[in-house]
Amino acid sequence: MLRKNRLFTPGPTPLLPAAQTAMASFTAHHRTADFRALFQRVLADMKEFIGTKNDVLVQACSGTGVMEASVSNLTSPGDKVLVLTAGKFGERWTGLAKAFGCNVDVLSAPYGETFSLEDIRARITPDVRAVFVQATESSTGARHDVRGIAKIVRANGDDTLLVVDAITGLGTTHFDVDGWGVDVIIGGSQKALMIPPGLAYCAVSERAWRRMDTTTSPRYYFDLRKERKSAAKGESAYTPATSLFAALGAALGFVRGMGNGDLAKGREALVDNAELCAEMTRAGAQALGLKLYAASPAAALTAICSPEGIDSGMIVKEFRETFDAVVANGQGEMKGQLFRIAHIGYYDYLDTIGILGALEHVLGRVTGKTVAYGAAVRAAQEVYARGLSKRQLVGA
Ligand SMILES: *Cc1c(COP(=O)(O)O)cnc(C)c1O
């Protein structure tokens, strides 16, 4: 059969065709009125996409670049910081904070789990300068309670900042960034924004800007104050990734279209879409007797345990070879134990039904057992139908 190459990975994600076209035809120099207009429009739209009134900066780097920037701009060597980690991306915070000489306290939850708010409360003392966490831990598929964590951090006063890696959280999770008092929230272009890798962005609170006046960690390219000053004049400090900005403009236009002209509504619709695709996928996997890896699953992706005695690498390979569908294996120690199907950004009903249909065949092949064809698809259909009647009620 003909096979279309499709990505089901938690980044990079499928590209929006309109964004690809916008990139391909973009030629403007970055110090021109044309580019400034695009740059300013994109930054204003990004605030709505994130749902914040705080300043938003977009940098030419992958997500980790802005994670690093948040450490280097907000801390000084020797500062006590708390890292909440429950997977590979949480561990990245620990590595970054140590690289900048922070005195790192690590609160970890086992892979696949999330934190108890009580444990967090006990670890946040007035001398903790910053708390670093993921909104959705892409290595395990777990969702962390950003709202609950923010409540605890804010109760600790203005000297403790909350930094959230929402690189797979934004566009898949409902946040009230300003209402909850999140100081820095970070996203990346290759996730829910449906464009290629190469841009990372963040929204920064006034509390966090004030902190930057006193911190002493080294920074140059990622000096956020410098970028903020340039952005206020409609430019970026250094050469921006111009074609990615063109793609981003188109992607934000698409999200606005999802909200019938209202970008904030479009963001909500994009999140609801991810939630529904994820719920369909979870129901489908469970209908095949598979277990979910995460106890509190995110809408960004579904991590599914490999059946007893089966290396998940075989499942990943079978998806690839038979259907040209790219699903992700586990990372690090989780490799071989689970596979991950993402719902971040440009995914729809047909993608979801399709991957579940393929999963039925893949599972049959790798286990050598009979699979009840249609079981996963049927369960997903039922979730979809329930969601549909709910949506019609809301609309009525
Ligand atoms: C993708 C991702 C990142 C960023 O990784 P880069 O490869 O630097 O873009 C960070 N955190 C999470 C949770 C992610 O999913």
Side-chain angles (χ1 to χ4, degrees):
M1 281 193 89
L2 182 153
R3 302 171 317 152
K4 293 188 191 174
N5 177 244
R6 290 182 173 88
L7 300 186
F8 290 88
T9 43
T13 62
L15 301 177
L16 179 75
Q20 288 178 280
T21 315
M23 277 182 80
S25 59
F26 193 78
T27 53
H29 187 273
H30 60 289
R31 306 293 184 209
T32 59
D34 275 356
F35 187 77
R36 266 194 295 275
L38 171 68
F39 183 83
Q40 286 172 314
R41 177 165 60 81
V42 164
L43 287 191
D45 282 357
M46 284 301 290
K47 288 191 186 194
E48 292 204 58
F49 179 75
I50 299 170
T52 183
K53 295 205 159 41
N54 290 336
D55 287 305
V56 172
L57 303 178
V58 179
Q59 303 269 105
C61 57
S62 83
T64 308
V66 170
M67 289 173 74
E68 171 163 332
S70 66
V71 174
S72 66
N73 282 265
L74 300 178
T75 69
S76 303
D79 274 1
K80 184 172 172 190
V81 303
L82 175 64
V83 169
L84 307 176
T85 170
K88 290 288 146 199
F89 291 98
E91 290 162 18
R92 190 168 297 181
W93 277 134
T94 308
L96 281 164
K98 285 189 174 157
F100 284 88
C102 294
N103 168 12
V104 188
D105 185 20
V106 179
L107 174 62
S108 51
Y111 290 167
E113 294 181 22
T114 188
F115 319 98
S116 115
L117 292 179
E118 276 318 301
D119 290 348
I120 296 174
R121 192 173 285 116
R123 298 289 266 274
I124 297 184
T125 47
D127 58 334
V128 172
R129 302 282 285 157
V131 178
F132 297 95
V133 68
Q134 270 63 42
T136 51
E137 173 52 75
S138 314
S139 67
T140 68
R143 178 197 307 256
H144 299 321
D145 180 3
V146 174
R147 179 189 207 154
I149 295 166
K151 209 168 172 187
I152 297 169
V153 173
R154 289 283 57 87
N156 202 48
D158 281 353
D159 290 339
T160 308
L161 301 177
L162 175 61
V163 180
V164 179
D165 162 4
I167 297 177
T168 51
L170 282 156
T172 65
T173 315
H174 293 291
F175 295 112
D176 180 0
V177 176
D178 300 352
W180 298 348
V182 174
D183 292 296
V184 178
I185 188 160
I186 305 168
S189 58
Q190 80 275 33
K191 312 277 173 142
L193 283 169
M194 322 173 195
I195 68 172
L199 296 178
Y201 56 94
C202 57
V204 181
S205 74
E206 281 309 317
R207 244 185 323 265
W209 287 119
R210 283 198 300 276
R211 169 71 61 85
M212 286 179 224
D213 292 333
T214 61
T215 50
T216 59
S217 284
R219 69 203 92 138
Y220 189 91
Y221 182 76
F222 288 119
D223 188 332
L224 297 179
R225 290 168 306 171
K226 202 159 37 185
E227 186 61 27
R228 183 195 204 191
K229 238 186 233 162
S230 298
K233 291 184 277 180
E235 295 199 353
S236 66
Y238 307 105
T239 311
T242 48
S243 41
L244 286 172
F245 262 88
L248 188 50
L252 291 161
F254 177 82
V255 178
R256 173 174 277 120
M258 286 181 74
N260 296 318
D262 181 334
L263 185 46
K265 281 212 182 97
R267 171 192 76 223
E268 301 294 298
L270 185 66
V271 171
D272 290 343
N273 177 73
E275 290 280 6
L276 185 56
C277 290
E279 195 185 340
M280 288 168 70
T281 306
R282 291 194 295 267
Q286 287 173 309
L288 294 174
L290 296 169
K291 287 199 186 72
L292 304 178
Y293 189 77
S296 56
L301 72 153
T302 302
I304 302 166
C305 301
S306 202
E308 250 337 274
I310 305 282
D311 186 314
S312 62
M314 285 171 64
I315 295 174
V316 171
K317 187 160 172 264
E318 190 64 35
F319 266 119
R320 180 66 163 271
E321 288 180 354
T322 308
F323 299 107
D324 209 3
V326 186
V327 306
N329 200 331
Q331 286 169 265
E333 303 89 308
M334 291 171 274
K335 192 166 180 196
Q337 295 178 30
L338 59 99
F339 60 101
R340 295 172 293 152
I341 297 173
H343 333 283
I344 305 164
Y346 199 50
Y347 285 99
D348 68 359
Y349 166 87
L350 285 178
D351 294 319
T352 310
I353 291 293
I355 196 72
L356 289 170
L359 175 60
E360 294 176 358
H361 286 291
V362 166
L363 201 62
R365 290 257 206 131
V366 301
T367 60
K369 291 184 190 149
T370 315
V371 167
Y373 291 136
V377 170
R378 180 188 187 134
Q381 293 278 39
E382 282 165 0
V383 169
Y384 179 80
R386 272 203 305 276
L388 199 65
S389 58
K390 228 179 359 192
R391 280 195 301 282
Q392 279 166 347
L393 282 175
V394 169

